[in-house]
Amino acid sequence: MKVKIIGKSQSNLPWEDKPRDILDVVWRSKLNPIVKRDALPTSNSIFNSAVVSFKNHFFGVFRVDDKYRRMRLHKGSSLDGCHWKIDENPISFICEEPELANFVYGYDPRVCWIEDRFYMTWCNWYHGPTIGVAYTYDFEEFFQFENAFLPYNRNGVLFPKKIGGNFAMLSRPSDQGHTRFGDIFYSESPDLIFWGKHRHVMAPTSGWQSTKIGAGPTPIETNIGWLLIYHGVITSCNGFLYSMGAAVLDLEKPWKVKYRTGPYILSPQKIYECVGDVPNVVFPCSTLTDVTTGRIAIYYGGADTTICLAFTYVEELVDFIKMNSI
Ligand code: BMA
């Protein structure tokens, strides 16, 4: 393999071989959607969620919109990464700062192992959307601390290791509403509380990624750069349409884009991506990877309603990005 994932072996990650009739670089699971909207008695929809491997099992933080249409975060676990047991109660964060302890809403979580624990980031209300940060050692207790940025911001995605001695995060400054713009920025912090060294990473371009873009899963470290899967939005006469793209960022200076796909790698085409509470959305929030085989399982939300799974190989995806780079 020319392109290698740097990390752990994960031989039990969910996997289906590419069907012979599929020519695309990313292919969908036959089990989709793997988490249905009514997996909990109280859920209106379960989507845009983050899973990780931990202790030979899989754990996750799930976006559950309940039947009041409150946006909540729930933990869950799975033996195989496909069948999930999601906690009926939302996560109750342990938070010493009264100013932050009043949870109003939380959505689109990402989870990332850094050094000795899992960190989660999510879109957190603080006088508008911004980036909430918490950590857990065990998926039992979650400790929330300061929001990373001023409102308004979304799609805060941590890098899985320090860069230049600092924690590093991608984010997407936005507005209070259904933002019609959005570039991906990069920031660093010595302590995950004070953030600076802000750098521009990528702007929207044309076609499927012409309106706005946002980081998706935790970037995947490879020998040639950080593999970043992201979402891109086009405004059609029917509203926003969310597709999936990928880029390779420089390892030491991740704000430098080495390659970036012109064509999307997945767009809403299946019924569960086109029909739901928000039609025409594929929204990636996490991946599981296996160093030995180069397999990548991508978890994404379908139509803001369900959780779906797709697959690719690191080498095939990076070749595709390079060959079709803009
Ligand atoms: C974004 C977020 C996502 C959602 C997407 C499409 O602004 O709210 O959670 O998937 O819109 O509705």
Side-chain angles (χ1 to χ4, degrees):
M1 277 194 289
K2 293 188 303 283
V3 184
K4 286 200 174 86
I5 296 170
I6 296 166
K8 283 192 310 175
S9 285
Q10 186 68 52
S11 57
N12 62 341
L13 91 173
W15 185 254
E16 293 166 37
D17 284 332
K18 177 146 72 169
R20 280 170 196 274
D21 58 335
I22 298 234
L23 303 173
D24 298 323
V25 64
V26 170
W27 60 98
R28 295 170 176 83
S29 170
K30 293 192 179 70
L31 302 174
N32 280 350
I34 58 159
V35 179
K36 309 237 175 356
R37 65 183 309 161
D38 57 358
L40 293 178
T42 51
S43 57
N44 167 76
S45 45
I46 306 180
F47 56 108
N48 300 4
S49 300
V51 314
V52 291
S53 68
F54 179 49
K55 292 186 175 167
N56 289 326
H57 295 159
F58 302 96
F59 286 80
V61 178
F62 293 82
R63 170 173 179 174
V64 177
D65 290 9
D66 68 14
K67 288 178 179 165
Y68 294 80
R69 296 301 300 265
R70 295 177 298 199
M71 300 180 283
R72 298 287 173 85
L73 301 166
H74 294 228
K75 67 184 183 188
S77 60
S78 170
L79 294 177
D80 62 3
C82 285
H83 301 88
W84 288 89
K85 189 174 171 344
I86 299 172
D87 203 333
E88 292 206 9
N89 298 309
I91 294 171
S92 174
F93 290 98
I94 299 163
C95 181
E96 285 174 2
E97 174 52 58
E99 183 73 8
L100 300 178
N102 172 34
F103 184 93
V104 176
Y105 66 59
Y107 63 83
D108 296 358
R110 316 303 206 269
V111 181
C112 177
W113 173 266
I114 313 174
E115 293 179 350
D116 62 348
R117 67 191 84 172
F118 289 102
Y119 290 90
M120 63 178 278
T121 52
W122 69 96
C123 180
N124 187 39
W125 187 93
Y126 183 75
H127 303 276
T130 185
I131 308 302
V133 189
Y135 64 85
T136 180
Y137 291 106
D138 52 11
F139 281 86
E140 290 298 329
E141 290 184 317
F142 292 79
F143 299 90
Q144 184 184 352
F145 48 109
E146 295 294 330
N147 292 318
F149 303 120
L150 288 169
Y152 311 110
N153 204 315
R154 292 184 172 98
N155 297 301
V157 177
L158 285 163
F159 282 78
K161 68 190 237 191
K162 288 182 176 165
I163 292 168
N166 288 322
F167 293 98
M169 186 164 10
L170 300 169
S171 73
R172 216 280 309 281
S174 64
D175 63 15
Q176 293 226 50
H178 299 297
T179 318
R180 302 202 153 266
F181 60 89
D183 296 29
I184 299 176
F185 286 84
Y186 168 93
S187 309
E188 288 188 7
S189 168
D191 55 7
L192 281 161
I193 293 182
F194 297 98
W195 291 88
K197 198 175 171 182
H198 308 296
R199 298 281 183 272
H200 183 259
V201 182
M202 296 199 288
T205 55
S206 56
W208 66 273
Q209 48 183 337
S210 53
T211 299
K212 54 180 172 176
I213 54 171
T218 302
I220 300 167
E221 189 176 9
T222 77
N223 56 325
I224 67 146
W226 293 103
L227 174 57
L228 176 69
I229 296 173
Y230 64 97
H231 68 258
V233 179
I234 185 173
T235 308
S236 79
C237 55
N238 249 343
F240 290 156
L241 186 148
Y242 283 68
S243 302
M244 208 185 289
V248 178
L249 313 178
D250 185 77
L251 280 176
E252 273 109 55
K253 295 181 177 163
W255 55 93
K256 296 207 177 297
V257 180
K258 293 175 78 170
Y259 313 101
R260 172 180 179 183
T261 40
Y264 57 71
I265 59 168
L266 196 83
S267 83
Q269 298 183 7
K270 297 290 174 192
I271 194 83
Y272 49 83
E273 299 160 346
C274 300
V275 176
D277 284 354
V278 182
N280 308 321
V281 180
V282 295
F283 197 97
C285 283
S286 60
T287 59
L288 295 172
T289 58
D290 177 40
V291 169
T292 315
T293 55
R295 291 173 173 178
I296 302 176
I298 307 169
Y299 290 79
Y300 66 98
D304 282 12
T305 304
T306 60
I307 299 177
C308 306
L309 191 52
F311 307 102
T312 188
Y313 280 105
V314 68
E315 182 140 27
E316 203 175 324
L317 180 56
V318 169
D319 281 350
F320 179 86
I321 302 169
K322 279 175 147 177
M323 273 187 317
N324 297 285
S325 190
I326 48 173

